[in-house]
Amino acid sequence: MAKIAEEKVVNLDVFQKGSIQWKHCDIPTKPPSSPPKPLVIFTPTVPGAYTVMVFYHGFLLQPSDYCDLLGHIVSHGFIVVAPHLSSWYDFVLIDEIKEAGKVVDWLVKGLQPLLPENVEAKLEKVVLSGHSKGGQTAFCVALGHHVKTMLKFSAVIGIDPVGGLTKCKVSKTSPKILTGVPRSLDLKAPVAVIGTGLGPEKANVLFPPCAPEGKNHVDFFNESKPPCANFVAADYGHMDMLDDETPGTFDTVLSKCLCKNGEGPRMFMRMTVGGLVVAFLRAHLDKQIEDFKAIIKTPSLAPARLVDVKYIPA
């Protein structure tokens, strides 16, 4: 994939919802499943074996805020496990990383019994992903910071990842993974970073940018080792991949007021992010490279305007 071949552009179905029927269900921390944290499972209902993605939500958010985005991904043939994590700080605590890692280990025995009949979780191909602060959590778990998981990771995806909302020194309980050293994050798995053009901008004078320069998608991509891919949705903001209406009143206010948002429909942002995730995973996990190559070659195929599109092969 070092060179993007001159070839006929395929029909990019990845930006449309897939044909696989799915459902989601809330799983509490109670027997018989007893996951370490409450979580939501998004699963196909069509028989088959599916790659598993663990998705960590953003600061002050919850998994149900991402139903449309995660449903888009699942409809193309994935299982998504989205835990509820602590989110009262703008940086990731060590205890939170440990809980995030415990969720990964729980998959080994806890996930399969909760899936529909004849739906199989392929745990040899586990993907870590997260939005905002959850992106940093995904990177920390993949790097093994303060946690060692039983499962290995086949890919890591940061959706507008943020390593903190302030430039001041934070608690010693917050691991510093962004060092400013290019290609220093040794993830041992393909990495995709999807950023936003408006994330580094303030929504108003009361709050700092939600994805400030020096701690955002630019830094996560620059410090990731190949193979790594980078995409920036130029006209959208840090919360624009969330559902149009989120379950909690606070979540809705947070997603629409705290961060600068784009003027276009969020639907196009969700379609773009979902399609990029699916194309990247198909290429790197299943060797189905056509869609990914087409997007790298012609970013305008995406519903949202993409800039700074880069792919560095291994």
Side-chain angles (χ1 to χ4, degrees):
M1 294 170 60
K3 280 190 175 182
I4 306 302
E6 293 291 336
E7 58 186 55
K8 183 179 179 180
V9 173
V10 296
N11 180 21
L12 294 187
D13 70 316
V14 295
F15 292 123
Q16 304 298 323
K17 289 189 177 179
S19 61
I20 296 176
Q21 297 296 311
W22 61 275
K23 68 176 183 178
H24 72 275
C25 51
D26 294 288
I27 308 298
T29 56
K30 297 179 180 179
S33 57
S34 301
K37 302 292 289 185
L39 51 84
V40 182
I41 296 176
F42 296 76
T43 175
T45 55
V46 179
Y50 301 97
T51 294
V52 177
M53 171 188 290
V54 179
F55 177 85
Y56 303 119
H57 61 79
F59 175 53
L60 294 178
L61 297 171
Q62 54 187 323
S64 54
D65 296 330
Y66 303 87
C67 279
D68 285 350
L69 171 61
L70 299 182
H72 183 121
I73 296 168
V74 174
S75 73
H76 284 277
F78 298 88
I79 296 168
V80 177
V81 176
H84 293 261
L85 297 177
S86 303
S87 59
W88 295 106
Y89 300 90
D90 66 356
F91 51 90
V92 177
L93 299 175
I94 290 174
D95 286 346
E96 186 174 335
I97 297 171
K98 291 179 178 179
E99 293 293 340
K102 289 178 181 178
V103 171
V104 173
D105 286 343
W106 170 85
L107 298 176
V108 176
K109 294 183 178 180
L111 177 59
Q112 188 61 50
L114 299 176
L115 299 178
E117 186 177 2
N118 296 322
V119 170
E120 178 187 349
K122 292 164 51 175
L123 295 182
E124 71 275 12
K125 291 185 177 182
V126 175
V127 177
L128 286 184
S129 182
H131 165 235
S132 187
K133 173 181 150 180
Q136 183 190 13
T137 301
F139 273 73
C140 286
V141 174
L143 288 166
H145 273 269
H146 304 284
V147 64
K148 185 176 182 180
T149 59
M150 290 186 284
L151 298 174
K152 302 299 182 182
F153 307 112
S154 298
V156 180
I157 302 174
I159 301 174
D160 217 21
V162 176
L165 297 182
T166 63
K167 294 184 178 181
C168 63
K169 291 183 178 180
V170 296
S171 167
K172 292 182 180 179
T173 59
S174 176
K176 184 178 180 181
I177 63 171
L178 294 176
T179 62
V181 179
R183 312 301 164 209
S184 58
L185 296 176
D186 190 13
L187 291 158
K188 296 181 173 61
V191 177
V193 177
I194 304 170
T196 62
L198 303 182
E201 299 185 16
K202 288 185 177 182
N204 52 61
V205 296
L206 299 177
F207 300 103
C210 286
E213 293 182 2
K215 293 182 177 289
N216 63 20
H217 63 92
V218 175
D219 307 278
F220 279 92
F221 174 70
N222 287 343
E223 297 188 29
S224 294
K225 288 186 176 181
C228 52
N230 187 70
F231 309 90
V232 179
D235 305 316
Y236 283 90
H238 188 62
M239 297 288 193
D240 283 331
M241 66 292 296
L242 272 62
D243 292 353
D244 289 339
E245 298 298 330
T246 51
T249 301
F250 177 76
D251 294 37
T252 300
V253 172
L254 176 67
S255 70
K256 294 186 177 180
C257 300
L258 184 62
C259 304
K260 185 167 183 177
N261 297 316
E263 296 182 0
R266 282 187 170 182
M267 172 182 67
F268 295 142
M269 179 60 169
R270 293 191 295 267
M271 292 168 63
T272 298
V273 174
L276 292 174
V277 169
V278 171
F280 178 79
L281 293 180
R282 282 180 177 175
H284 290 84
L285 275 59
D286 301 321
K287 307 305 180 185
Q288 300 175 15
I289 64 175
E290 291 81 7
D291 288 348
F292 183 67
K293 289 171 67 175
I295 296 168
I296 295 294
K297 178 183 176 182
T298 313
S300 59
L301 292 170
R305 184 170 67 94
L306 295 177
V307 298
D308 202 20
V309 175
K310 302 174 183 175
Y311 178 66
I312 305 175

